Amino acid sequence: MKLLIMVLAGMLMLACSSTSPAVRSSPLPADPPDASSAPWEHGALGVASDGRYLVHADGTPFFWLGDTAWDLFHRFTREEAAIYLDRRRQQGFTVIQASFFAPMHPISLANPYGDAPFIDNDPTRPDVTDGSDPNDERQYDFWDQVDYIFTLAEQRGLYIAALPAWAYHATDGTPAFTTGNARAYGRYVAERYGQRPNVIWVLGGDRFVVWRDVNYSPLWREMATGIETVAGTGALITYHPGDSVSSSKWLHDAAWLDMNLFQSGHGTRDRDSWALAAADYARTPPKPTLDGESNYEDHPVNWKPEQGYFRDYDVRKQAYRAVFAGAAGHTYGHHSVWQKYQPGTPGIYAPEAAMSWIEALDRPGAAQMIHLRRLVESRPYLSRIPDQALLASEPGDPRQHVRATRSSFGSYAMVYIPTAEQTVTVKMTAISGGVARAWWYDPRTGEAAVIGEFPTEGVRSFQTPARGPDWVLVLDDRGRGFPAPGVGTLRP
């Protein structure tokens, strides 16, 4: 695999050094990987009856394990998109967040094949040609490329959390999207993609709903209405906000908003993502929530390299603490991957990226996210609730902040502890049955080791192992006979 990636990286570097449009090649694979286990076989994705989590129509729970590839549609060639999606599928991701248009660039910017999305930058006039043969540049247009990537993702069992517009194109400069055209554009994208089994709609894009004293909620409502006019009210729609805030601040009561996203962002280590998750969890009516943009691995802290870089440890801390605080999943990101960084690429957003996007696919944090998904899926899913009352000790400052979750029926509990040789005291009475089996779960490897068995009475202290730094304490009702944490999938 490493040799293959090195060869591909060399090929891609040569491709990126050219200023001419990329060659349209590589037909879709004849034998889609994992097609027999596509998640949409369980029916359409929606919100659970209690409003907390995402489920399929047949009741199967869905854990949103996202990756950030904002430029997937706009900068990736057909071959590059396949490489990227294959790797993320292998790593256990379930959702890819991507914008139809390049963030922070003019909407007229062409994709690798020299194609732009609209005629005269008018969202009511998509630049569409007859045919879709990738070997004929007169046929293969911008929207054909979007179609192709949706199909690649579908074949790999991946959802696309698609931003039909990046908020910058509605709020800055001369806006391409307005309340006058947003509904018509929403209808167009829904007609084209609304019946795909793997689409999730994400409006906004790194902007507060109220931006520079202008309230843009009418614009986003118009776009959502256009989507729902075609795709129905069952279309799953959310909103991606700006830094350190949740969509719930402005839109929680909007009928079109099915779930919230918040952004803990890149400004500091140990941003209290758990507080954002907990605040959304407490809102009524209940809606799922998750961190849609946490600190990206290898991103400079506060955008300043002299302050250091976020590493896999930072990524894990934010992910586990937000999920244990009630989030319905989590989105990972890497600073090179989201922008498809390649040294020497013109017009890149953040030239301080440390490595090419293809090298970054295998950074430690990306490989470790599957262990969070496997952990929560290895215990009854829909009964999971956040519960800091499980702790008899103080949760600690942001760097050492401990977060607890458990089954509402008491069959299990989990405590994320961010530092080595850190002691927590838990109320054993929260576990049902007479005996609890305790485990240490390693979020770096997904391995679990039995600590021992203890009566479910009083309080008990546990100290994390010296190596680490971070660990998850798992307490199970022994009578339930659960497998080791992270092993198997229990429904629901």
Side-chain angles (χ1 to χ4, degrees):
M1 175 61 74
K2 289 184 178 179
L3 178 60
L4 174 60
I5 288 177
M6 290 173 65
V7 172
L8 290 170
M11 294 170 61
L12 292 173
M13 288 180 70
L14 289 173
C16 289
S17 65
S18 173
T19 57
S20 60
V23 176
R24 301 161 169 85
S25 60
S26 78
L28 291 172
D31 184 18
D34 290 350
S36 63
S37 59
W40 24 91
E41 290 190 350
H42 298 289
L45 194 61
V47 177
S49 58
D50 67 355
R52 299 299 186 191
Y53 299 115
L54 298 174
V55 296
H56 292 278
D58 68 357
T60 302
F62 176 80
F63 185 78
W64 176 309
L65 184 57
D67 184 44
T68 309
W70 295 135
D71 265 331
L72 176 62
F73 293 113
H74 197 270
R75 286 188 183 270
F76 283 68
T77 66
R78 291 161 64 90
E79 293 80 9
E80 291 166 341
I83 292 167
Y84 165 73
L85 293 170
D86 276 339
R87 195 71 189 108
R88 288 309 190 227
R89 175 186 61 86
Q90 293 160 359
Q91 291 167 328
F93 288 91
T94 59
V95 177
I96 306 298
Q97 294 179 192
S99 172
F100 284 176
F101 315 122
M104 312 305 290
H105 280 291
I107 205 165
S108 59
L109 192 67
N111 69 11
Y113 302 111
D115 299 317
F118 304 117
I119 298 170
D120 296 331
N121 299 329
D122 181 352
T124 66
R125 300 173 65 199
D127 194 352
V128 177
T129 58
D130 291 335
S132 59
D133 183 354
N135 298 306
D136 185 345
E137 64 180 18
R138 295 169 301 177
Q139 292 188 30
Y140 197 73
D141 60 44
F142 180 94
W143 299 100
D144 292 328
Q145 174 73 355
V146 175
D147 295 345
Y148 178 81
I149 291 174
F150 259 105
T151 300
L152 284 178
E154 180 181 344
Q155 291 180 336
R156 287 151 178 78
L158 293 167
Y159 283 87
I160 298 286
L163 282 77
W166 191 258
Y168 168 86
H169 299 118
T171 62
D172 293 58
T174 302
F177 297 96
T178 67
T179 53
N181 63 29
R183 184 178 297 200
Y185 175 66
R187 284 198 302 269
Y188 172 74
V189 293
E191 286 166 356
R192 188 137 189 164
Y193 305 107
Q195 299 307 311
R196 291 209 174 236
N198 61 329
V199 65
I200 300 169
W201 299 103
V202 184
L203 304 190
D206 208 27
R207 282 288 185 268
F208 301 152
V209 174
V210 177
W211 179 250
R212 296 173 180 166
D213 298 323
V214 177
N215 186 344
Y216 288 91
S217 59
L219 185 153
W220 303 117
R221 182 180 64 244
E222 285 295 296
M223 193 173 292
T225 299
I227 292 170
E228 290 185 332
T229 297
V230 174
T233 56
L236 190 61
I237 307 178
T238 186
Y239 183 93
H240 179 270
D243 191 23
S244 301
V245 71
S246 171
S247 58
S248 63
K249 179 175 181 178
W250 305 277
L251 299 171
H252 187 77
D253 293 325
W256 59 263
L257 189 87
D258 299 299
M259 61 177 291
N260 285 302
L261 292 183
F262 59 89
Q263 179 183 164
S264 61
H266 323 290
T268 184
R269 288 189 170 92
D270 299 304
R271 171 70 172 91
D272 57 348
S273 60
W274 55 88
L276 291 166
D280 276 356
Y281 193 91
R283 288 183 181 271
T284 55
K287 291 184 177 181
T289 190
L290 60 91
D291 195 343
E293 186 168 338
S294 185
N295 45 213
Y296 292 158
E297 191 169 11
D298 297 323
H299 188 294
V301 178
N302 199 27
W303 298 271
K304 298 176 181 178
E306 64 271 19
Q307 294 186 11
Y309 290 77
F310 297 113
R311 302 305 189 195
D312 57 310
Y313 175 45
D314 303 296
V315 168
R316 293 194 307 272
K317 284 194 290 183
Q318 296 304 88
Y320 279 82
R321 293 190 289 195
V323 168
F324 283 17
H330 186 76
T331 298
Y332 164 86
H334 190 278
H335 193 40
S336 295
V337 174
W338 75 262
Q339 57 180 320
K340 205 204 131 197
Y341 175 72
Q342 190 72 31
T345 302
I348 207 70
Y349 307 94
E352 77 278 4
M355 65 195 72
S356 72
W357 69 272
I358 199 162
E359 294 175 277
L361 290 178
D362 287 308
R363 290 293 286 161
Q368 293 162 2
M369 288 295 99
I370 184 60
H371 305 316
L372 171 58
R373 176 185 168 190
R374 286 175 175 162
L375 176 62
V376 297
E377 289 182 343
S378 70
R379 297 295 180 267
Y381 189 92
L382 297 178
S383 66
R384 181 172 63 84
I385 60 172
D387 187 11
Q388 288 297 85
L390 177 72
L391 302 175
S393 53
E394 291 299 314
D397 62 26
R399 185 181 70 86
Q400 294 185 303
H401 183 78
V402 174
R403 207 72 202 179
T405 185
R406 67 177 179 87
S407 165
S408 60
F409 300 111
S411 61
Y412 70 90
M414 301 175 184
V415 183
Y416 179 78
I417 309 165
T419 57
E421 298 183 297
Q422 181 176 350
T423 299
V424 297
T425 305
V426 298
K427 300 172 184 175
M428 300 298 290
T429 52
I431 306 301
S432 61
V435 178
R437 178 176 291 133
W439 310 77
W440 286 125
Y441 183 78
D442 188 337
R444 291 160 297 281
T445 66
E447 297 173 342
V450 174
I451 303 170
E453 296 184 346
F454 309 96
T456 54
E457 55 188 39
V459 300
R460 180 169 293 274
S461 294
F462 297 87
Q463 185 181 68
T464 54
R467 64 182 180 87
D470 50 333
W471 293 90
V472 181
L473 171 67
V474 179
L475 300 171
D476 289 331
D477 176 350
R478 186 183 65 179
R480 294 295 300 269
F482 291 146
V487 175
T489 301
L490 297 178
R491 306 295 193 197

